[in-house]
Amino acid sequence: MSDKKLTEDLAQIIQEMEQKCIEHPDSIMAHHHLALVYRKAGRHNDAIKELKKCVEIDEHSHEAYINLGAVYFELGKLDDALQANKMALLYAPNPAQAHTNIGLILQQQGEHEKAIDSYTKATHHDPKLAFAWVNLATAQIMAGNFDEALHAAKKAVELDPNFPMSHNNLAVAYYYKKDYAAAKKAIDTAVKCGYPVDPNFIKAVNEEL
């Protein structure tokens, strides 16, 4: 699909959803769907407005808080993103996604140990959430906890063998554990899955073989 066609389609969808919000001003679903399309169209401020409308209608709307946090994160407004996800924690039946998002924000802020704590909480609430395990592996690597990183990366690969970043993290963990053959194998799988592995890392592993 061309960019022009996509833009035209989004404009038509937005127009239809805006009309639904006018007809059903108290519908969380209508405002939420409009917010998601605004976000896809790059209209972040409009998306924020609609998501805030959702939580005005129902302050327990945890999905609105999750998406509000995501939009703020994309805008680089990390404090606002953190606050939105903390609100999601209050109301989400399963807070795994919110804990994962908080981990990402803390990691972005350089708070690696706090990020590890958040990712760990996410894996406790949802042991099958591969994205949490992938990011936990990243945070453990950055903190220098290579045994823990290897465990998290292996878990991520087990849960989602097609997740490219999990294989890259597995390769990095193996590298720091000095298992260079396993690192090379994980790199090859990551590349095959489409992950842009750092050429300098590939070179470093190959030099050890």
Side-chain angles (χ1 to χ4, degrees):
M1 181 182 293
S2 68
D3 290 343
K4 181 180 179 182
K5 176 62 175 172
L6 178 59
T7 300
E8 290 174 352
D9 288 348
L10 282 175
Q12 178 64 31
I13 293 170
I14 286 172
Q15 186 177 6
E16 293 172 359
M17 289 188 169
E18 286 175 338
Q19 183 60 37
K20 283 187 179 180
C21 287
I22 292 171
E23 295 171 357
H24 306 283
D26 294 326
S27 170
I28 292 178
M29 184 176 295
H31 288 288
H32 200 167
H33 286 172
L34 177 57
L36 296 180
V37 181
Y38 276 148
R39 180 185 176 192
K40 188 175 183 64
R43 294 173 57 175
H44 293 95
N45 289 333
D46 288 328
I48 289 169
K49 180 180 176 182
E50 291 303 315
L51 291 166
K52 285 184 174 180
K53 180 66 177 177
C54 290
V55 297
E56 285 175 12
I57 296 170
D58 181 4
E59 66 176 7
H60 297 153
S61 182
H62 63 279
E63 290 184 357
Y65 283 119
I66 288 288
N67 284 297
L68 184 59
V71 176
Y72 279 135
F73 187 82
E74 289 172 1
L75 292 174
K77 297 182 177 181
L78 299 185
D79 290 339
D80 290 331
L82 186 60
Q83 184 58 36
N85 280 286
K86 284 182 176 179
M87 292 300 294
L89 286 180
L90 297 176
Y91 305 118
N94 185 335
Q97 186 62 59
H99 279 302
T100 301
N101 293 346
I102 289 171
L104 278 170
I105 296 163
L106 293 170
Q107 190 173 316
Q108 191 84 356
Q109 294 175 329
E111 299 280 0
H112 303 309
E113 292 299 335
K114 290 181 180 179
I116 288 169
D117 182 62
S118 290
Y119 292 138
T120 301
K121 287 176 180 175
T123 62
H124 286 164
H125 285 286
D126 186 355
K128 295 184 178 181
L129 185 59
F131 190 64
W133 287 104
V134 168
N135 285 286
L136 177 57
T138 300
Q140 296 284 21
I141 288 167
M142 296 177 79
N145 304 325
F146 303 123
D147 287 334
E148 293 84 351
L150 185 60
H151 170 75
K154 284 182 175 179
K155 190 68 178 178
V157 169
E158 175 189 326
L159 290 168
D160 189 353
N162 297 316
F163 196 162
M165 188 177 175
S166 63
H167 295 285
N168 181 76
N169 286 355
L170 183 62
V172 175
Y174 273 131
Y175 175 80
Y176 283 111
K177 292 292 292 178
K178 302 187 186 303
D179 189 341
Y180 303 117
K184 178 65 166 60
K185 183 178 179 181
I187 285 174
D188 291 342
T189 305
V191 170
K192 193 176 296 183
C193 290
Y195 191 84
V197 180
D198 185 344
N200 292 324
F201 177 53
I202 295 175
K203 181 181 178 182
V205 171
N206 287 332
E207 288 175 349
E208 296 291 346
L209 293 173

